[in-house]
C-alpha cells in the first residue's frame, strides 16, 4: 500500500482554514473585530513568508476556544463548514484524492492547523487519517495550549515518523516507498525533501522556484 500525503490549506482547499476560522470568529462577534483581525492577518502574512512564530500564533488562536463548551464549538464549526469551507472546496483536489483512493493508496493529511478546525474537514474529504497540531483539552474544555509536537515545518517529519510507528494499527504497513506529498507552501519544504515524490500544488513563489530548480512536478488544482 502506497502512502499519499497532502497538506490541507491552499492545497486541497482554496484558502487557509486557520485564517478563515479567525475571520469567522470576527464575523460571529466571538472576538474583538479590530484587534483580532489585525493580528490574524499579520500572523498569516508571517506564515506566507515562512517567518511565523508558531508558539505566539497558537497562544493567540487557541485562546478563544477556551470560552466555549464542546457542544457550542461543535455547533459553531458546523456553521463554519457551511459558510467558509464549502465555498473553497476544489473539485480537482477531490478528484486527485479519488484517484489515489482508487489506486489503493492510504490517504493522509498533515497540517499545521489545529485539529479542532481541520479534523471535520478531513473527514468530509474522506481521507484515511490526519495529523494536525493538537490543542490540549482538560475536563472537556480547551485550555488554550497545544499538546505534543506541533505539526509545522520539521515537526511534520517528526509527527509522520511517530505515526509510522503505529501505522500497522491503522491499516498501513509503514512503507514510504513511492510515497507522495502534495503541498503549496515553502513551510513544508522539510517534508517534501523527505519523500520520494514531492509535488508542488499551486505553490507560493519560494516553493515554485525550489520545485523548478529540482525538477519536481508543479500542478494546479484550481485551473
Amino acid at each position: 500500500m502506497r502512502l499519499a500525503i497532502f497538506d490541507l490549506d491552499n492545497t486541497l482547499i482554496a484558502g487557509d482554514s486557520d485564517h478563515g476560522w479567525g475571520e469567522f470568529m470576527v464575523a460571529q462577534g466571538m472576538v474583538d473585530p479590530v484587534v483580532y483581525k489585525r493580528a490574524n492577518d499579520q500572523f498569516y502574512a508571517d506564515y506566507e513568508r515562512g517567518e511565523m512564530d508558531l508558539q505566539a500564533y497558537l497562544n493567540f488562536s487557541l485562546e478563544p476556544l477556551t470560552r466555549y463548551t464542546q457542544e457550542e464549538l461543535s455547533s459553531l464549526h458546523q456553521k463554519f463548514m457551511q459558510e467558509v469551507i464549502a465555498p473553497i472546496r476544489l473539485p480537482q483536489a477531490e478528484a486527485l484524492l479519488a484517484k489515489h483512493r482508487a489506486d489503493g493508496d492510504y490517504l493522509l493529511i498533515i497540517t499545521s492547523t489545529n485539529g479542532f478546525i481541520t479534523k471535520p474537514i478531513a473527514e468530509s474529504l474522506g481521507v484515511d487519517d490526519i495529523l494536525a497540531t493538537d490543542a490540549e483539552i482538560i475536563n472537556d474544555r480547551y485550555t488554550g495550549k497545544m499538546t505534543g509536537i506541533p505539526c509545522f515545518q520539521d515537526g511534520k517529519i517528526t509527527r509522520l515518523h511517530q505515526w509510522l510507528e503505529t501505522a500497522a494499527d491503522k491499516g498501513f504497513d509503514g512503507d514510504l516507498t513511492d510515497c507522495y506529498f502534495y503541498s503549496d507552501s515553502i513551510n513544508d519544504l522539510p517534508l517534501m525533501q523527505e519523500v520520494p515524490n514531492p509535488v508542488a500544488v499551486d505553490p507560493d513563489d519560494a516553493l515554485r522556484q525550489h520545485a523548478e530548480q529540482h525538477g519536481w512536478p508543479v500542478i494546479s488544482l484550481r485551473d
Side-chain angles (χ1 to χ4, degrees):
M1 183 184 295
R2 184 174 60 181
L3 182 63
I5 307 172
F6 303 85
D7 178 46
L8 176 63
D9 298 316
N10 288 307
T11 300
L12 291 178
I13 56 176
D16 186 281
S17 61
D18 215 352
H19 184 258
W21 171 254
E23 293 190 322
F24 174 80
M25 288 195 294
V26 168
Q28 297 299 309
M30 299 166 63
V31 291
D32 183 285
V34 176
V35 174
Y36 197 93
K37 178 173 174 52
R38 183 187 303 120
N40 194 42
D41 290 347
Q42 183 60 58
F43 277 119
Y44 187 49
D46 293 345
Y47 172 82
E48 288 186 312
R49 291 194 306 271
E51 300 173 358
M52 188 175 74
D53 181 335
L54 181 64
Q55 188 58 63
Y57 176 68
L58 289 172
N59 291 342
F60 163 78
S61 62
L62 295 178
E63 189 279 331
L65 301 183
T66 67
R67 308 172 194 171
Y68 300 91
T69 66
Q70 293 289 335
E71 183 177 359
E72 290 169 333
L73 288 171
S74 177
S75 178
L76 286 164
H77 199 288
Q78 289 175 21
K79 187 174 184 180
F80 170 70
M81 289 287 291
Q82 294 168 358
E83 296 183 1
V84 180
I85 298 303
I88 60 174
R89 290 181 70 141
L90 293 168
Q92 289 190 61
E94 298 187 38
L96 177 63
L97 289 171
K99 180 182 182 302
H100 277 284
R101 192 178 296 115
D103 288 343
D105 299 336
Y106 192 100
L107 309 184
L108 176 68
I109 287 175
I110 299 185
T111 176
S112 60
T113 302
N114 72 74
F116 163 73
I117 295 172
T118 57
K119 288 181 179 179
I121 302 173
E123 182 178 354
S124 74
L125 291 171
V127 301
D128 295 298
D129 206 351
I130 178 173
L131 299 177
T133 298
D134 294 319
E136 183 181 60
I137 299 174
I138 295 179
N139 296 327
D140 209 33
R141 298 282 295 226
Y142 283 101
T143 67
K145 301 176 182 178
M146 71 173 182
T147 182
I149 296 171
C151 208
F152 182 62
Q153 296 181 343
D154 289 335
K156 286 194 174 185
I157 298 176
T158 303
R159 290 287 302 276
L160 174 61
H161 285 287
Q162 288 178 340
W163 181 86
L164 288 170
E165 292 176 1
T166 61
D169 296 337
K170 305 176 187 300
F172 177 66
D173 59 14
D175 185 4
L176 289 180
T177 301
D178 205 25
C179 170
Y180 281 77
F181 178 41
Y182 297 85
S183 179
D184 72 290
S185 175
I186 192 63
N187 288 288
D188 285 338
L189 186 59
L191 182 53
M192 296 189 83
Q193 293 173 322
E194 186 84 357
V195 303
N197 298 299
V199 181
V201 180
D202 298 293
D204 58 38
D205 291 342
L207 181 57
R208 180 180 295 276
Q209 181 179 15
H210 187 93
E212 291 174 348
Q213 288 174 347
H214 291 79
W216 295 353
V218 178
I219 68 171
S220 176
L221 298 177
R222 306 190 190 196
D223 293 343

